[in-house]
Amino acid sequence: MTIQDFDIQVASAQHVDYAPLICDEMAESAKARGTGIAQRSPEYVANKMLEGKAVIAFHKDGTWAGFCYIETWSHGDFVANSGLVVDPQFRKVGLAKAIKSRIFELSRTKYPDAKIFGLTTGLAVMKINSDLGYEPVTYSELTQDEDFWAGCRSCVNFDILTAKERKNCMCTAMLFDPAEKQKEYEDKVKKITHKATLLERIENAIKKRIGHVES
């Protein structure tokens, strides 16, 4: 089995019947990890599909394989790619990374100026986020939307989060800031341009020197 055996697509109305199955798998996965998640109802997940704010994966035989959806916070200034889940029988083939990459692309298309963030305890997810350009940050750099933090109430570590006044917890905070990435890109271009200009000046100086010697 390889990643080529799967079809990852933007979810739509034709997929709403999978919502209960997806929610059940989210709950089972959280239980297996020993962590809590922001619990979502099948209606909530189905609505994400209807809004075009989710991606769903299927094996080539038609079996549901994975899912992830977009949530927006602070009036769209922040976006979270939430509820990433893969059916256990389809793990270890890179499907989680492929789904996360697809939902990241969808988020960048729908909300190009938004900061994309995540909270996770999983090393695999941290690695995926890092590959996509996320950077570890402090909790103060995340959305301060109360509705987002209310979602942590179902986590077994919520008391820790509260005791630390929401400054940190067991999860690692990671953030993709498009403005910062654009600045990094522009700085890189400037360095490359400067280096090219410097090389051109050196080449011209050498040519002049050679020309003087020949004359």
Side-chain angles (χ1 to χ4, degrees), residues 158-204:
F158 184 67
D159 288 343
I160 298 174
L161 179 68
T162 303
K164 294 190 175 184
E165 300 179 334
R166 232 158 62 183
K167 293 178 180 177
N168 57 67
C169 194
M170 304 303 291
C171 282
T172 296
M174 302 189 76
L175 181 76
F176 176 92
D177 184 343
E180 185 62 31
K181 292 299 177 183
Q182 180 63 28
K183 184 177 181 301
E184 289 178 7
Y185 172 76
E186 291 173 355
D187 288 345
K188 186 175 181 180
V189 170
K190 285 180 181 178
K191 288 181 180 179
I192 293 173
T193 302
H194 175 72
K195 186 177 291 186
T197 302
L198 183 61
L199 287 173
E200 185 178 353
R201 288 168 59 188
I202 292 173
E203 288 176 355
N204 288 335

Side-chain angles (χ1 to χ4, degrees), residues 81-112:
N81 295 157
S82 305
L84 175 62
V85 63
V86 172
D87 187 302
Q89 66 177 313
F90 298 126
R91 291 173 185 170
K92 308 296 184 184
V93 295
L95 184 56
K97 182 176 182 179
I99 292 174
K100 194 72 189 290
S101 296
R102 185 69 184 85
I103 197 72
F104 180 80
E105 291 172 3
L106 184 62
S107 300
R108 294 284 291 126
T109 299
K110 284 184 169 292
Y111 307 96

Side-chain angles (χ1 to χ4, degrees), residues 33 118-126 129 139 170-174:
R33 295 194 306 270
L119 284 171
T120 182
T121 56
L123 290 176
V125 175
M126 290 181 204
N129 286 348
Y139 282 27
M170 304 303 291
C171 282
T172 296
M174 302 189 76

Side-chain angles (χ1 to χ4, degrees), residues 60-71:
K60 62 183 180 181
D61 67 5
T63 305
W64 172 80
F67 182 77
C68 193
Y69 63 88
I70 296 170
E71 289 186 302

